């Protein structure tokens, strides 16, 4: 069987007073594609200069869809340009194959490419439109979540205790060690840098003011929110997204259950409860790190550190961090749920959405923190 | 030159006397020859002492209850599952003797359509069809695109399906796209694992028709695992039945109907099969 016989394809030209006879030999199959493409180009040129051409396929050892397709394309192109091309063969299966590829129009629609500045502008425009849509979609979803929360609140039967407790365990309990560790390390670093700089003015004792205020007002809640966005936000998106992918969300809907009430509200609620707790833990760990470095590196004893801390930190500083926490939780939960529900059928879409969820959540956390800073400054809190 | 095609109709039509192409159609030769095959997972023996021949140019329908090992046999022939014992010959060569380049050459002659399509979800339909082409052939980018579109059209998909992701396709479109990918390299044998399961009867009948057309035009040998009585009646040249860990009967439909094996009696004697058969008789 000459099935994978890859004899070199060839075309022998016989010129004959205005008409051209071409005899084809060898294997006109896909393995020989580069040579076939060359031959087709050559034949195209030769045929273009005559009014009639006859291609004899009888001596071809093996003809497959590729060979048949390019020969048929050559014929159609020449005929469209007003010439005449005949494909002849003594082999009936060639006719069948040529008929099979002839009914198919395979012209590929040209793709439109933008270059340089245009494509930059197009991208910017698209990004702005997407951002606008995200905002509108987010606002609508916010409405649904509020309605869902209210209906859960006023219909105690709908309140789902076990999933809530389960989520709080996953977020707060399992997340606490890593958040403590990171906050502790950041506390150490900030204190070390503070002492190093303040020493030059002989003011290293002020490191307590610096670390105390910075950690309680900003670092504790920021570090916690960023960690939770990466840890729990991504998990929410993946959970909700994979349920969406496998039509489980639709299954809930047809059972008369609202996916927002069942899936989203417990998770956001769990975040709102967990994040202040974690923020508190994180702040304490950060202060512990700062105290340790102040003692070892700055020579400030632990009791001096605590006494100074008590005199400079008022309950306001402590409150500022904790007030922000539930808002951060809400933002993270909302974005994670929106992105989860935006998952389409494929696994790639799930991966994309999880990434988007984390990136958007961290961005929004920082943005919200900035807004709070402006707000607290203007009310002089 | 004894034959040519008229140009007027737009389709090349054959005139004159056609010489036989010299293929040995009168003496069917097995392209796949399985002997005394044993496959087991742990102590769970799936098949033992299984013999099977697939002839060149035929559509062989392979039937058997759910979980009897139809997919496992297909995967064993393809070299995806290890066999405990027995020989598998493809195109007259023992697959155990083939390694490296020879093995790849053999695999090029296979086209496989998996039970659930197995389209690469990260790629568009067109890119899926181009994966084997890019791997094995050297085509110019333009021809690569055109060949992918040709395969798409051959399996009856519209050109706008080319840039869709597999997740955007319906069940029937997935089957067609998977077939287009299986046909990408003009294989000689195609393995179809339940190609019509999950399709509506009209879609399934169209698919059977498509397989038959492709068999005629491309000279394919088709190994088709199926549960679909309609496919067995209309598309398959021969049927092989798997039960009791081996092939219990093989032959045309009449052989199946004449068998006294209880499973075959239940399968072809059931209400649905009988209704189909009487409908066939009434029509003819
Ligand atoms: N990789 C595997 N490991 C263990 N058991 C398997 C494996 N693949 C298939 N099986 C078992 O082999 C049997 C036959 O499976 P399969 O060939 O898929 O059935 P079907 O005839 O419906 O296609 C089933 O009982 C299945 O559980
Ligand atoms: Mg199966």
């Amino acid at each position: 069987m000459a099935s994978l016989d890859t004899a070199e394809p060839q075309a022998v030209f016989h010129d004959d007073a205005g008409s051209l006879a071409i005899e084809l030999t060898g294997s006109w199959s896909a393995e020989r594609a580069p040579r076939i493409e060359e031959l087709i180009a050559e034949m195209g040129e030769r045929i273009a200069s005559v009014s009639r051409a006859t291609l004899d396929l009888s001596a071809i050892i093996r003809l497959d869809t590729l060979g048949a397709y390019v020969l048929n394309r050559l014929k159609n192109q020449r005929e469209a340009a007003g010439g005449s091309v005949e494909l002849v063969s003594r082999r009936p299966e060639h006719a069948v194959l040529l008929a099979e590829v002839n009914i198919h129009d395979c012209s590929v629609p040209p793709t439109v490419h933008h270059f340089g500045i245009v494509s930059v502008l197009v991208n910017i425009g698209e990004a702005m439109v997407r951002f606008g849509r995200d905002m509108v979609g987010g606002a609508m979803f916010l409405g649904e979540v509020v309605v869902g929360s209210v209906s859960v609140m006023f219909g105690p039967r709908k309140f789902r205790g076990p999933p809530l407790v389960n989520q709080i365990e996953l977020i707060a309990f399992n997340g606490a060690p890593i958040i403590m560790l990171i906050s502790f390390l950041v506390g150490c670093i900030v204190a070390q840098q503070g002492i190093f700089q303040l020493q030059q003015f002989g003011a290293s004792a002020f490191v307590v003011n610096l670390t105390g205020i910075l950690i309680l007002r900003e670092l504790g809640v920021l570090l916690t929110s960023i960690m939770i966005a990466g840890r729990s936000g991504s998990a929410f998106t993946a959970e909700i997204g994979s349920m969406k992918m496998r039509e489980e969300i639709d299954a809930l809907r047809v059972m008369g259950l609202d996916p927002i009430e069942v899936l989203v509200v417990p998770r956001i609620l769990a975040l709102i409860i967990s994040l202040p707790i974690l923020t508190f833990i994180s702040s304490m760990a950060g202060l512990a790190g700062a105290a340790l470095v102040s003692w070892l590196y700055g020579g400030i004893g632990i009791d001096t550190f605590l006494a100074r801390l008590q005199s400079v930190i008022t309950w306001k500083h402590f409150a500022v961090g904790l007030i922000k926490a539930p808002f951060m939780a809400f933002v993270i939960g909302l974005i994670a749920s929106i992105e989860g529900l935006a998952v389409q059928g494929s696994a790639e879409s799930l991966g994309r959405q999880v990434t988007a969820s984390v990136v958007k959540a961290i961005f929004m956390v920082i943005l919200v923190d900035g807004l709070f800073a402006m707000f607290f400054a203007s009310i002089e809190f | 030159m004894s034959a040519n095609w008229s140009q007027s109709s737009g389709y090349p039509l054959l005139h004159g006397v056609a010489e036989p192409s010299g293929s040995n159609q009168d003496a069917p030769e097995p392209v796949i020859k399985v002997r005394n095959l044993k496959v087991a997972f742990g102590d769970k023996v799936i098949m033992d002492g299984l013999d099977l021949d697939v002839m060149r140019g035929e559509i062989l329908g392979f039937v058997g209850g759910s979980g009897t090992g139809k997919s496992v046999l297909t995967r064993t022939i393809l070299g995806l599952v290890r066999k405990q014992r027995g020989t598998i010959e493809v195109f007259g060569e023992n697959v155990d003797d083939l390694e490296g380049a020879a093995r790849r050459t053999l695999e090029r002659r296979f086209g496989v359509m998996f039970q659930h399509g197995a389209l690469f979800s990260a790629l568009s339909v067109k890119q899926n069809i181009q994966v084997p082409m890019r791997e094995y052939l050297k085509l110019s980018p333009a021809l690569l695109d055109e060949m992918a579109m040709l395969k798409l059209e051959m399996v009856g998909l519209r050109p706008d399906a080319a840039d869709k992701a597999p997740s955007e396709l319906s069940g029937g479109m997935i089957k067609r796209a998977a077939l287009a990918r299986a046909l990408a390299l003009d294989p000689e044998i195609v393995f179809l694992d339940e190609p019509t399961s999950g399709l509506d009867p009209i879609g399934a009948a169209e698919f059977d028709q498509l397989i038959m057309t492709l068999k005629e035009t491309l000279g394919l040998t088709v190994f088709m695992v199926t549960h679909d009585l309609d496919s067995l009646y209309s598309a398959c040249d021969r049927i092989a039945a798997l039960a009791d860990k081996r092939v219990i009967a093989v032959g045309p439909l009449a052989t199946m109907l004449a068998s006294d094996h209880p499973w075959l009696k239940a399968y072809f004697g059931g209400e649905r099969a009988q209704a189909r058969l009487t409908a066939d008789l009434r029509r003819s």
Side-chain angles (χ1 to χ4, degrees):
Chain A
M1 184 70 194
S3 51
L4 275 189
D5 193 335
T6 54
E8 181 88 355
Q10 283 184 338
V12 184
F13 298 88
H14 305 282
D15 244 323
D16 179 20
S19 83
L20 184 66
I22 308 176
E23 195 182 346
L24 305 176
T25 59
S27 164
W28 284 69
S29 59
E31 297 83 47
R32 286 289 175 171
R35 178 79 188 124
I36 290 175
E37 286 192 78
E38 280 170 30
L39 280 176
I40 289 287
E42 188 190 340
M43 279 155 53
E45 279 171 24
R46 297 282 293 262
I47 288 173
S49 61
V50 295
S51 61
R52 264 182 61 83
T54 313
L55 272 60
D56 184 1
L57 281 55
S58 304
I60 288 178
I61 300 173
R62 176 168 140 86
L63 183 70
D64 69 359
T65 49
L66 182 132
Y69 173 73
V70 291
L71 288 172
N72 188 64
R73 186 184 61 180
L74 182 72
K75 168 176 175 279
N76 288 346
Q77 280 172 353
R78 181 64 191 129
E79 280 174 357
S84 138
V85 177
E86 259 186 298
L87 301 176
V88 297
S89 175
R90 226 172 283 136
R91 307 255 293 268
E93 70 269 25
H94 288 174
V96 178
L97 199 55
L98 284 167
E100 175 72 12
V101 298
N102 188 44
I103 52 174
H104 304 295
D105 169 25
C106 301
S107 50
V108 180
T111 42
V112 186
H113 287 291
H114 298 291
F115 292 102
I117 188 82
V118 179
S119 84
V120 171
L121 289 176
V122 166
N123 283 343
I124 293 174
E126 281 175 355
M128 293 314 288
V129 170
R130 253 201 318 275
F131 184 75
R133 284 212 191 108
D134 274 2
M135 284 294 156
V136 174
M140 276 157 59
F141 192 76
L142 180 66
E144 287 184 54
V145 171
V146 169
V147 170
S149 314
V150 168
S151 102
V152 168
M153 253 181 261
F154 290 99
R157 194 182 50 80
K158 286 185 180 169
F159 183 77
R160 292 174 174 80
L164 181 68
V165 174
N166 187 19
Q167 286 296 339
I168 292 179
E169 185 193 340
L170 285 174
I171 300 166
F173 199 74
N174 298 354
I178 184 68
I179 289 175
M180 276 166 70
L181 180 65
I182 287 181
S183 307
F184 180 82
L185 292 175
V186 171
C188 291
I189 294 164
V190 171
Q192 190 270 335
Q193 287 295 317
I195 292 167
F196 185 73
Q197 299 296 330
L198 292 169
Q199 257 172 359
Q200 300 171 12
F201 311 104
S204 57
F206 281 98
V207 74
V208 183
N209 305 39
L210 172 76
T211 51
I213 292 175
L214 195 59
I215 289 172
L216 286 178
R217 285 186 80 112
E218 297 294 338
L219 282 185
V221 66
L222 265 185
L223 284 174
T224 308
S225 305
I226 289 172
M227 276 305 288
I228 288 297
R231 219 183 146 269
S232 306
S234 61
F236 288 0
T237 308
E239 285 160 12
I240 295 177
S242 63
M243 290 184 75
K244 177 84 190 298
M245 226 164 80
R246 285 184 256 130
E247 298 183 321
E248 291 171 42
I249 305 267
D250 300 331
L252 280 176
R253 281 222 172 89
V254 296
M255 289 176 207
L257 295 166
D258 181 3
I260 306 241
E261 277 174 27
V262 178
L263 300 173
V264 175
V265 171
R267 284 182 168 81
I268 292 185
L269 212 56
L271 274 178
I272 290 177
I273 295 170
S274 306
L275 216 67
I277 301 173
L278 285 170
T279 300
F280 176 75
I281 294 174
S282 158
S283 302
M284 292 306 117
L287 287 177
L292 187 72
V293 167
S294 303
W295 177 45
L296 294 176
Y297 182 73
I300 303 168
I302 300 290
D303 42 353
T304 324
F305 187 93
L306 286 177
R308 220 182 145 80
L309 197 63
Q310 205 167 23
S311 71
V312 292
I313 301 295
T314 62
W315 66 273
K316 273 192 198 171
H317 298 303
F318 184 68
V320 163
L322 288 188
I323 287 171
K324 287 194 275 190
F327 289 92
M328 302 298 193
F330 196 68
V331 166
I332 295 169
L334 210 59
I335 291 175
S337 313
I338 292 173
E339 295 299 325
L341 290 172
V343 167
Q344 248 93 64
S346 71
E348 284 64 51
S349 151
L350 182 63
R352 247 192 332 268
Q353 243 48 56
V354 170
T355 311
S357 157
V358 174
V359 172
K360 283 184 190 170
I362 291 177
F363 173 74
M364 284 307 288
V365 159
I366 292 171
L367 194 74
V368 168
D369 194 60
L371 293 177
F372 267 114
M374 281 153 59
F375 172 71
F376 286 130
S378 63
I379 63 166
E380 288 169 15
F381 193 70
Chain B
M1 231 155 282
S2 60
N4 65 45
W5 294 288
S6 75
Q7 301 305 307
S8 53
S9 66
Y11 292 87
L13 292 170
L14 193 68
H15 292 305
V17 193
E19 279 174 23
S21 55
S23 69
N24 30 8
Q25 239 130 33
D26 23 333
E29 107 200 64
V31 283
I32 299 177
K33 206 163 146 184
V34 179
R35 289 291 174 272
N36 195 25
L37 183 72
K38 178 177 177 186
V39 177
F41 295 109
D43 346 321
K44 192 171 160 202
V45 179
I46 308 292
M47 53 197 77
D48 198 357
L50 180 141
D51 294 344
L52 182 68
D53 284 333
V54 183
M55 301 301 172
R56 183 175 294 285
E58 76 172 349
I59 300 182
L60 180 79
F62 198 68
V63 296
S66 277
T68 48
K70 304 181 296 297
S71 298
V72 170
L73 175 65
T74 316
R75 296 167 63 83
T76 311
I77 296 173
L78 293 170
L80 297 170
V81 170
R82 281 172 59 90
K83 58 182 169 25
Q84 254 72 12
R85 195 180 60 218
T87 56
I88 299 173
E89 277 179 26
V90 184
F91 302 116
E93 288 184 275
N94 191 332
V95 290
D96 296 333
D97 302 339
L98 298 176
E99 262 163 38
R103 175 91 220 168
R104 280 164 67 87
T105 312
L106 177 70
E107 278 162 4
R108 279 208 41 183
R109 300 164 79 176
F110 289 160
V112 186
M113 180 183 154
F114 287 94
Q115 194 163 358
H116 303 290
L119 294 173
F120 304 119
S121 51
L123 306 178
S124 70
V125 170
K126 188 170 83 183
Q127 288 167 332
N128 260 286
I129 300 171
Q130 288 170 341
V131 168
M133 294 182 180
R134 280 181 204 277
E135 184 64 27
Y136 286 109
L137 307 177
K138 289 192 216 62
L139 304 186
S140 63
L143 189 57
L144 191 65
D145 274 352
E146 287 175 52
M147 288 311 290
M149 299 307 279
L150 174 68
K151 304 287 163 169
L152 266 186
E153 297 257 354
M154 278 167 69
V155 299
L157 278 176
R158 291 156 49 85
D160 59 354
D163 292 315
K164 288 207 165 98
S167 58
E168 297 170 300
L169 302 181
S170 71
M173 287 163 86
I174 287 176
K175 301 265 177 190
R176 283 170 193 265
L179 182 64
R181 190 179 67 181
L183 294 175
L185 295 176
D186 279 319
E188 289 168 61
I189 308 179
V190 286
F191 295 85
L192 310 173
D193 197 347
E194 305 203 13
T196 54
S197 70
L199 295 189
D200 63 284
I202 299 170
E206 276 177 8
F207 203 93
D208 287 338
Q209 195 60 50
L210 174 66
I211 306 273
M212 286 190 282
T213 313
L214 292 174
K215 183 200 101 166
E216 292 301 328
T217 53
L218 305 179
L220 296 174
T221 304
V222 181
F223 178 90
M224 174 158 76
V225 173
T226 187
H227 274 305
D228 189 338
L229 284 165
D230 289 318
S231 302
L232 292 172
Y233 284 100
S234 58
C236 297
D237 300 313
R238 288 196 314 147
I239 298 169
L242 180 67
D244 310 333
K245 303 185 171 55
R246 38 188 201 88
V247 173
I248 49 167
V250 58
L253 192 58
T255 316
M256 298 294 123
L257 297 173
S259 163
D260 339 303
H261 191 281
W263 187 79
L264 276 176
K265 271 185 123 68
Y267 192 87
F268 288 101
E271 241 168 70
R272 278 150 55 92
Q274 285 303 325
R276 174 66 226 247
L277 200 59
T278 42
D280 258 13
L281 289 176
R282 211 172 299 140
R283 207 177 304 142
S284 58

